[in-house]
Amino acid sequence: MPPAAAILLGYLLGSIPFGVLLTRLGGAGDLRQIGSGNIGATNVLRTGRKGLAAATLLLDLAKGAAAVLLAEWLLPGTAVLAGMGAFLGHCYPVWLRFKGGKGVATLMGIVVALHWPSGLVYAAVWLGLLAALRISSLAGITAAISAPVSAAFWGRIDLVLLLLALALIVLWKHRENIDRLLSGTEPRIGSKRG
């Protein structure tokens, strides 16, 4: 029962669609009808509401970390399962007919909570590339790939398989972005579409 409970706890936390909730409460409309239709912070930014975008980013990150930490506190030894559940909840929330976000911020929260040195690498890669290139998808994809690599480097082999699987889901969720990156048409932060 503890493993199933941890996955469910993580899923329920991860499936809270903060981007959708905040844009509605902030009077910015239905986020799924704006820009790319994605529920993450990058699309919230397209509403022109930087505060809402920052709040979405922080809350999506926090729910991943909270799932891991809460599960480990309530059900010791289940942190990894709760992290997996939170990530799947964010990407495939039952409340939005399983059409969720792409998982970059939530994955960062999970990585930070599971192994903070890998979380620092994740943050450095993500924020560094975002600042340098202003291409959200490329920064997020690269950060996600850094997670299993970093965990292996630090000797956390117990985390590598999970982080590799979650990074592959991030890649899958970004498949349209990858097509645009390859064709040179992926928009940069500040553009209206993508």
Side-chain angles (χ1 to χ4, degrees):
M1 287 304 293
I7 293 170
L8 181 60
L9 171 67
Y11 182 86
L12 291 175
L13 281 171
S15 66
I16 301 170
F18 285 114
V20 172
L21 295 174
L22 290 175
T23 51
R24 280 189 180 168
L25 290 173
D30 186 346
L31 185 60
R32 294 166 295 175
Q33 304 300 320
I34 298 168
S36 66
N38 186 45
I39 67 169
T42 300
N43 203 41
V44 176
L45 191 59
R46 293 189 180 100
T47 67
R49 308 286 287 278
K50 293 181 180 178
L52 291 180
T56 300
L57 176 67
L58 292 174
L59 288 169
D60 281 350
L61 191 153
K63 70 185 180 183
V68 169
L69 298 173
L70 191 57
E72 191 58 31
W73 179 55
L74 295 173
L75 305 161
T78 64
V80 169
L81 294 174
M84 178 186 71
F87 183 82
L88 294 175
H90 176 78
C91 293
Y92 305 101
V94 64
W95 326 112
L96 302 180
R97 298 181 183 178
F98 304 103
K99 295 178 182 178
K102 296 181 180 178
V104 176
T106 302
L107 181 55
M108 180 176 160
I110 293 164
V111 176
V112 168
L114 288 174
H115 185 242
W116 67 265
S118 295
L120 290 181
V121 172
Y122 190 113
V125 170
W126 186 19
L127 299 175
L129 283 176
L130 195 58
L133 302 176
R134 295 189 307 114
I135 302 177
S136 179
S137 59
L138 182 59
I141 290 166
T142 308
I145 293 169
S146 80
V149 174
S150 179
F153 174 81
W154 292 105
R156 290 301 305 269
I157 305 304
D158 57 313
L159 298 178
V160 170
L161 189 59
L162 169 73
L163 296 179
L164 178 60
L166 300 187
L168 289 173
I169 294 173
V170 169
L171 287 170
W172 172 254
K173 297 287 283 186
H174 281 86
R175 60 195 182 277
E176 293 178 3
N177 303 87
I178 292 170
D179 287 342
R180 290 194 295 268
L181 284 166
L182 293 174
S183 67
T185 60
E186 180 72 343
R188 296 176 186 269
I189 294 290
S191 68
K192 300 292 185 185
R193 298 178 60 245

